[in-house]
Amino acid sequence: MELAYTVAEIEGLHAVAVGSPVHQRRQERARAYCLHQLVLELHGFGVEQLFMEARQPTLNTRDITTVQHARYTLPKGTRFRIDHLPGAGEALLWVAGIVAGVVRAEKLGDPRYRRFSATG
């Protein structure tokens, strides 16, 4: 709970892509769709770089390909890149995990973490 308070005090943009549960065979396709939409949304906020938690090299390559395809739908000359970082050692990814956990808790009917704000 204390971490949620700390993250709530961080100024900035918290964007979350929410997907619906899908069968395991379709998880990568669903992930690619969410990532594509996330790139479009982030571009709208002026974001040019996305850091994601690293997975297996072949799956990281799929993420990169998805971002490349998303860029084709953006205006010509748009800059947007993706970098994969090891999750265990990168504190910035922990913040993203906390934000995602808050959203998940709210979707499951527990809004108490969502109520946190920088003003208390």
Side-chain angles (χ1 to χ4, degrees):
M1 179 118 29
E2 189 173 319
L3 289 174
Y5 278 119
T6 301
V7 171
E9 293 176 356
I10 298 172
E11 290 187 28
L13 170 68
H14 300 292
V16 179
V18 178
S20 299
V22 296
H23 190 276
Q24 188 173 1
R25 290 185 331 203
R26 294 195 171 123
Q27 285 181 356
E28 283 302 313
R29 184 183 305 177
R31 177 187 172 92
Y33 179 80
C34 284
L35 179 55
H36 184 100
Q37 296 304 313
L38 182 62
V39 168
L40 301 180
E41 290 295 322
L42 291 175
H43 173 263
F45 287 108
V47 174
E48 294 182 352
Q49 187 170 15
L50 172 63
F51 294 97
M52 293 184 68
E53 186 169 350
R55 304 186 297 158
Q56 298 171 3
T58 55
L59 297 177
N60 291 345
T61 300
R62 284 184 190 179
D63 290 341
I64 292 167
T65 300
T66 298
V67 170
Q68 288 170 338
H69 286 123
R71 280 198 326 230
Y72 294 137
T73 63
L74 298 174
K76 187 172 180 150
T78 295
R79 298 179 60 180
F80 195 97
R81 66 181 270 185
I82 178 175
D83 288 299
H84 288 93
L85 305 170
E90 182 51 61
L92 290 177
L93 294 175
W94 303 345
V95 172
I98 292 167
V99 172
V102 168
V103 171
R104 178 171 167 72
E106 184 177 40
K107 294 284 182 191
L108 294 175
D110 184 357
R112 65 184 151 158
Y113 304 108
R114 181 84 161 104
R115 293 188 188 121
F116 295 151
S117 69
T119 58

